[in-house]
Amino acid sequence: MLQVQIPTPVTLTAKLPILRLVRSCDNHPPLRLPSSAPLSLFISNSQKPENPNVFPPLNQSVAAIVFGDGSESRLYPLTRRRSGGAVPIAANYRLIDVVVSNCINSNISKIYALTQFNSTSLNSHLFRAYSGKVLGKEGFVEVIAAYQSPEGQGWFQGTADAIRRCLWVLEDYPVLEFLVLPGHHLYRMDYQKLIEAHRNNNADITISVSCAVGNRDPGFGFLKVNSKNQVLEFRERPDREPLKSITEEGSKKSSYGAYHYFSSMGIYVIKRDIMTKLLTESFPNANEITNEIIPGAISMGMKVQSYTFDGYWEDMRSIEAFYQANMDVTKRSTLGFNSFYDKNSPLYTLPRCLPPTLVTDADVIDSVIGDGCILKRCKVKGSVVGMRTRIEDGAVIEDSVLMGSDIYQEDCIQRCKMDGKRDKNPIGIGKDSYIRKAIVDKNARIGKNVQIVNKGNVQEGNRESDGFVISGGIVIVLKSAVIPDCSII
């Protein structure tokens, strides 16, 4: 799979200090410029131009706030030891790369990542992937891990609580708006258009809504929107209420005229002063933006607008959705997410110095192969093969996702020799094994003559003690699991 080259650094004009990429847990006060600094170092009037219709560039006036994922991830067991944003996808990437790349391609270079649950892998990836020149001289991706302080002894209680407790960091730069983003969704969006609509409407809050989610509930609530795209009401779906009864309430009329219900994408543009007011004054005890801050802002009479997004959007609501998103990468259809190959909106990730994939008499059909793989006399059809994957002779991989390995088999064998152990099942896919419609997580050891085909057509099953889980009929082999020779799943 082709790697995306790092583009020419973005040229920024603000002369402000660069914060550390990863903050410590200590609640240090924000950095301040000395009063003796030259006037040219400051941006007057809090970045507000004299002409209200002219705004500073987005790399100076907008900061993105990205959330890794919550504690109740719908991608378990892939999130057993990592957050949703850190889940590998399409052989070379992680889900968080999609959102960060959207920001970079939209000229938003001030990005804060707020992380808490299973965040070690995500924090490490963000630090290594975006600490170079890809964001320009003044740009950054700053990881703010959950912390305790004299003012707050507990962990982040939700998205609103996390932003409130990090305002002392987020207010370091005099931006005009905050762009709040989930970090585990798959879509391509030009945030410049979203922010332009927000500013043209002089909105306090703008919420991105999707008109292409189909008959499903992404979990961010439904918005009642009139013909002027003004949000009139926020509504959550009760557990027993059919989704169809909400989505089909469109084309009705009220005193506001015709209105429709749209599904929120969980993407918000919020004015900086409005964000501070809502979190610290109006709703100081609110924990969530989705079902507390947004309904509260509407009830207060704030101008809340919607922005309709009609492109591909996958919120990774389930293992089946994640599996299908990977399968779409292998197809030539334009219905799925195709930004992996879009030269105008490149997808960035951690640059790795891996050798090209070695193919030895392998039969590869309609598949995506990551960097540094070793494919012997095997057959790979309609599958995604992650980095450093080793597939032995006679193995057959069909309609599956192999996430790859963090190390090479030779490294593992050498370690075992040093410890006086025999590595019976090295990392990778063993000889003559057959894998169909499965997800094999990183560093898994699949022995020889293993069959992973869901022989009993089981839809749901938890066999973590045996190294696998079945969700929606898809077998998921756990990270670092060992599947012995001749096993049949």
Side-chain angles (χ1 to χ4, degrees):
M1 191 169 186
L2 295 178
Q3 289 185 335
V4 179
Q5 294 182 348
I6 297 176
T8 303
V10 179
T11 302
L12 303 178
T13 58
K15 307 290 187 179
L16 296 177
I18 303 176
L19 300 182
R20 297 189 305 271
L21 183 67
V22 181
R23 283 186 178 264
S24 65
C25 293
D26 298 329
N27 191 358
H28 295 298
L31 296 174
R32 302 297 182 200
L33 291 175
S35 58
S36 59
L39 292 178
S40 61
L41 293 179
F42 296 90
I43 299 176
S44 63
N45 296 325
S46 298
Q47 291 260 14
K48 294 182 180 179
E50 294 182 1
N51 185 345
N53 296 321
V54 178
F55 294 90
L58 296 193
N59 56 21
Q60 297 180 24
S61 59
V62 177
I65 302 173
V66 182
F67 287 96
D69 197 3
S71 59
E72 298 180 359
S73 173
R74 292 172 286 184
L75 292 181
Y76 191 87
L78 300 180
T79 53
R80 186 166 171 255
R81 291 291 182 265
R82 61 167 79 92
S83 67
V87 173
I89 189 169
N92 278 1
Y93 304 95
R94 298 192 186 226
L95 284 174
I96 193 76
D97 292 326
V98 175
V99 179
V100 175
S101 297
N102 281 339
C103 289
I104 296 173
N105 294 329
S106 301
N107 198 30
I108 297 173
S109 58
K110 292 177 174 57
I111 305 169
Y112 298 93
L114 274 56
T115 65
Q116 176 164 294
F117 298 99
N118 280 336
S119 61
T120 301
S121 177
L122 180 62
N123 294 349
S124 174
H125 176 76
L126 289 172
F127 178 81
R128 294 187 298 157
Y130 301 104
S131 60
K133 297 180 180 180
V134 66
L135 287 161
K137 185 177 180 181
E138 301 288 346
F140 58 81
V141 174
E142 183 166 357
V143 177
I144 308 177
Y147 65 91
Q148 295 182 352
S149 68
E151 295 80 16
Q153 295 294 329
W155 300 112
F156 295 157
Q157 300 303 305
T159 52
D161 181 61
I163 294 177
R164 181 188 300 112
R165 293 177 56 183
C166 294
L167 282 175
W168 63 278
V169 180
L170 302 176
E171 293 178 343
D172 277 351
Y173 290 91
V175 298
L176 299 180
E177 295 100 358
F178 290 115
L179 175 62
V180 182
L181 304 166
H184 59 286
H185 293 179
L186 187 64
Y187 64 101
R188 180 181 65 184
M189 180 186 291
D190 185 354
Y191 298 138
Q192 296 177 103
K193 296 180 180 179
L194 167 61
I195 295 167
E196 180 183 6
H198 171 81
R199 291 174 173 177
N200 288 342
N201 292 320
N202 193 26
D204 296 316
I205 301 173
T206 298
I207 306 172
S208 183
V209 299
S210 174
C211 58
V213 296
N215 189 28
R216 59 185 173 88
D217 178 9
F220 295 99
F222 293 89
L223 304 176
K224 183 179 180 180
V225 180
N226 67 12
S227 58
K228 296 182 179 180
N229 293 324
Q230 182 180 359
V231 178
L232 307 178
E233 178 188 350
F234 170 86
R235 183 173 178 181
E236 288 186 288
R237 178 171 68 114
D239 292 339
R240 296 186 179 182
E241 181 177 2
L243 180 62
K244 189 176 181 181
S245 67
I246 297 178
T247 57
E248 290 190 353
E249 284 191 29
S251 71
K252 294 186 177 181
K253 293 185 177 181
S254 68
S255 57
Y256 296 93
Y259 64 86
H260 299 269
Y261 276 98
F262 290 100
S263 176
S264 170
M265 298 172 65
I267 297 174
Y268 312 100
V269 180
I270 308 177
K271 286 183 178 178
R272 170 182 171 151
D273 56 341
I274 294 297
M275 173 85 83
T276 302
K277 179 180 179 180
L278 288 171
L279 294 178
T280 61
E281 299 177 18
S282 304
F283 306 100
N285 297 317
N287 290 328
E288 294 292 343
I289 291 179
T290 297
N291 54 15
E292 294 182 81
I293 296 299
I294 296 302
I298 296 172
S299 66
M300 291 174 61
M302 289 187 173
K303 190 171 185 181
V304 181
Q305 292 288 122
S306 68
Y307 173 82
T308 304
F309 178 72
D310 58 1
Y312 174 88
W313 174 58
E314 177 52 65
D315 60 320
M316 296 302 169
R317 65 198 179 279
S318 63
I319 287 292
E320 298 98 300
F322 174 80
Y323 171 82
Q324 188 57 51
N326 276 276
M327 291 298 97
D328 288 342
V329 177
T330 68
K331 299 173 183 177
R332 300 175 183 176
S333 171
T334 58
L335 297 178
F337 182 78
N338 55 12
S339 288
F340 296 109
Y341 308 100
D342 189 342
K343 65 179 181 180
N344 296 319
S345 299
L347 199 62
Y348 302 92
T349 189
L350 174 65
R352 301 173 179 88
C353 298
L354 290 176
T357 287
L358 176 63
V359 180
T360 307
D361 199 19
D363 188 5
V364 180
I365 305 171
D366 295 335
S367 297
V368 173
I369 311 298
D371 300 329
C373 297
I374 301 174
L375 309 184
K376 298 186 178 180
R377 292 178 178 173
C378 59
K379 180 178 180 179
V380 180
K381 181 180 179 181
S383 298
V384 174
V385 180
M387 294 177 293
R388 302 186 188 88
T389 296
R390 176 189 59 83
I391 305 179
E392 290 292 344
D393 294 341
V396 177
I397 314 296
E398 293 181 351
D399 303 326
S400 296
V401 180
L402 311 183
M403 291 189 174
S405 171
D406 292 320
I407 60 174
Y408 277 112
Q409 158 187 314
E410 288 76 11
D411 300 334
C412 183
I413 293 175
Q414 186 63 29
R415 259 185 225 168
C416 291
K417 286 182 178 179
M418 293 175 62
D419 295 339
K421 300 177 181 178
R422 181 169 175 250
D423 191 17
K424 185 177 181 180
N425 291 321
I427 296 175
I429 312 301
K431 185 177 179 181
D432 296 325
S433 290
Y434 180 31
I435 301 176
R436 185 185 69 229
K437 196 179 179 182
I439 299 174
V440 179
D441 208 339
K442 277 191 170 185
N443 303 331
R445 302 163 182 261
I446 310 299
K448 302 175 183 178
N449 295 296
V450 171
Q451 294 186 39
I452 303 177
V453 294
N454 193 5
K455 185 177 180 180
N457 196 26
V458 177
Q459 292 303 302
E460 303 292 332
N462 190 337
R463 298 282 297 275
E464 289 191 37
S465 59
D466 296 321
F468 68 93
V469 169
I470 300 177
S471 177
I474 301 168
V475 178
I476 305 105
V477 178
L478 304 182
K479 184 177 181 179
S480 302
V482 179
I483 307 299
D485 296 347
C486 302
S487 298
I488 301 177
I489 300 175

